[in-house]
Amino acid sequence: MRNIAERLIAHETSESESSGTKTGATFSVCEKLRPHLATLMGSTGYRALLSRALARAEAEVPSLRVVQVDADGSITGFDKLEARAAPDELAKAPVALVVQLFGLLSAFIGEDLMLHIVRDVWPQLADQELQIFKEGRV
């Protein structure tokens, strides 16, 4: 999960030239997944899933406590995180959140369906990178 999270964050970081931060890329990853997952589990279900992923990621990166999931499932507080977190925590935070989100998704809907959703959202990465991940070569 960590490898695919790192690849998606790197992809989103390169895509968003205006932000250029990994925390901005994390927001982008979660925002791109939100409509797909909200369709699958409803807005409340997505919000609960993302909130749980954030709580689990806080165990690894305590500075994530300043980040919140709003009622609509959007994420706020990354600006506070960037202002307050130590550089090493700031580097770990995005990956920790996305890894936890993917881990919970895999547990609830299965890895195959989770990867199918990721392929739908990022088709340009699907064939080369996600298949390598699925086959366990990464």
Side-chain angles (χ1 to χ4, degrees), residues 77-135:
F78 276 123
D79 54 336
K80 293 177 188 174
L81 176 67
E82 289 176 342
R84 296 180 186 174
D88 62 327
E89 280 198 342
L90 192 57
K92 291 179 189 176
V95 175
L97 178 57
V98 175
V99 164
Q100 291 300 327
L101 180 61
F102 287 167
L104 289 170
L105 272 174
S106 290
F108 292 134
I109 64 173
E111 187 176 287
D112 288 339
L113 184 53
M114 186 270 301
L115 287 173
H116 180 74
I117 292 168
V118 171
R119 282 185 187 104
D120 284 349
V121 177
W122 291 277
Q124 67 276 23
L125 298 178
D127 293 336
Q128 56 198 29
E129 308 220 6
L130 297 180
Q131 190 60 36
I132 291 169
F133 168 74
K134 175 102 171 91
E135 293 171 1

Side-chain angles (χ1 to χ4, degrees), residues 14-69:
S14 68
E15 290 276 315
S16 70
E17 295 178 12
S18 62
S19 168
T21 64
K22 285 189 176 183
T23 54
T26 304
F27 177 75
S28 181
V29 168
C30 294
E31 280 300 302
K32 286 183 177 181
L33 284 170
R34 182 165 50 144
H36 296 270
L37 297 177
T39 299
L40 180 66
M41 60 186 63
S43 295
T44 303
Y46 172 72
R47 181 176 175 263
L49 182 76
L50 188 58
S51 294
R52 183 65 185 138
L54 181 58
R56 291 175 60 141
E58 287 173 9
E60 184 179 341
V61 183
S63 61
L64 276 169
R65 288 188 182 101
V66 299
V67 177
Q68 298 176 338
V69 178

